[in-house]
Amino acid sequence: MILSTRFANLTLLVSIAPLLHLAQAWPAVYPEPPPGPLEFDGTKLVNDAAHPWRPTQPGDTRGPCPALNTLASHGYLPRNGVATPKQLINAVMEGFNMNNKLAIFVTYAAMLVDGNLVTNLISIGSKTPRTGPNFHGAVSAGGLNTPGFGVEGDASLLRGDAYFGDNHSFNKTLWDEFVDYSNRFGGGYYNLTVAAELRHRAIQRSIATNPNFTLVAPRYFTAYAESALIIGAFLDGRNTDAERKIPMDVALGFFRDSRMPADFHRAAKPTGNDGVVEIFSAHPISPGGNVGGVDNYAPDPTSANLAQFCVLYENFVQKTVKRLYPNPTGVVRRNLILNLQYFYSGQPSVAGCTQLFPYGQL
Ligand SMILES: *[C@@H]1O[C@H](CO)[C@@H](O)[C@H](O)[C@H]1NC(C)=O
Ligand SMILES: *[C@@H]1O[C@H](CO)[C@@H](O)[C@H](O)[C@H]1NC(C)=O
Ligand SMILES: *[C@@H]1O[C@H](CO)[C@@H](O)[C@H](O)[C@H]1NC(C)=O
Ligand SMILES: *[C@@H]1O[C@H](CO)[C@@H](O)[C@H](O)[C@H]1NC(C)=O
């Protein structure tokens, strides 16, 4: 009798277990400092027995970044798509050999605009209760799918602009164009020449079709970076060809299925923005946007261009973050100060930007 009661309780516990995370109290987290570089930073098998691909479960979030989606589907990130900044940084370094500074810079940029600063969690896709409740005075903590804060944004290679409705699922039309450009400019592969032509094409499409098109920092930087990173992250690290090029089946696996090829090895050395300058130089365009309708692209001189890293940093802190959090108090202010500190530590060593303290110091 006692035994069966125990079993009954156990059954109840098991059946409500998935709901417990919603009911638990959410502690205010003190964000830990970002991890340093990898100890071993060469190539190695990353689609290994400890990181098998698995399909998503109901409630898992996936978003606009195929690299993060893939890391979640292979268990380098929590498979539900909700992570701490430290988990994100470790995952992009471990799985794709992204260099430590870039990993830190983009992770804290995303955290500051799309993360929950009290629970120290961010969704790699849409907003989910798994990042915790909206805290007092918070912006949306909406996850990476949130349009408008500029880390992700318009003129994406394989997604439509937010103007046309938020749509983060795989788009067959854009994929067909990706293949078409790879055939025309890369002999059937995605290489740097294809990257430059397709980047140009995506920008021209948005200029011609999206009256609200905007391409200013930080999106101006990430638009070029995402074009380049497809090669840096998805090229097998054992590749010894002089030509760096991605086969279409490999690209499709990452973009559509969030899946590494069998036997995939990460990059042979830490990777960053290699290729961005070549992609930009093929079809240079200033930061800007459509003004008052389609086909009306005007430069925006207040936006940082690719040569103005510190302007990017200053605008992001003083405009983007300050607009989201004009007068934070308590734990929100403390965590903003810490996240801004970590963000600043991810600037390239050569940048030498002056550190800003919009919320004072601890
Ligand atoms: C895919 O993208 C194209 C180009 O932006 C757009 O016209 C089309 O509606 C999109 N398809 C879906 C299913 O969202
Ligand atoms: C387009 O921009 C205008 C002006 O900034 C804004 O009011 C409107 O909501 C935007 N529309 C979409 C669909 O984003
Ligand atoms: C994307 O757009 C297509 C076509 O409009 C729609 O069928 C689909 O449900 C949308 N997907 C998401 C995730 O919004
Ligand atoms: C990309 O591939 C095409 C076709 O093989 C080739 O002509 C071009 O030089 C390649 N680009 C780079 C940067 O290797």
Side-chain angles (χ1 to χ4, degrees), residues 11 33 63 74 178 191 193 197 203 356 361:
T11 312
H74 280 271
F178 186 96
N191 68 9
T193 309
E197 295 308 317
I203 291 171
L356 302 171
Q361 300 183 52

Side-chain angles (χ1 to χ4, degrees), residues 145 164-171:
N145 281 5
F164 300 110
D166 231 346
N167 199 321
H168 301 283
S169 43
F170 182 79
N171 181 318

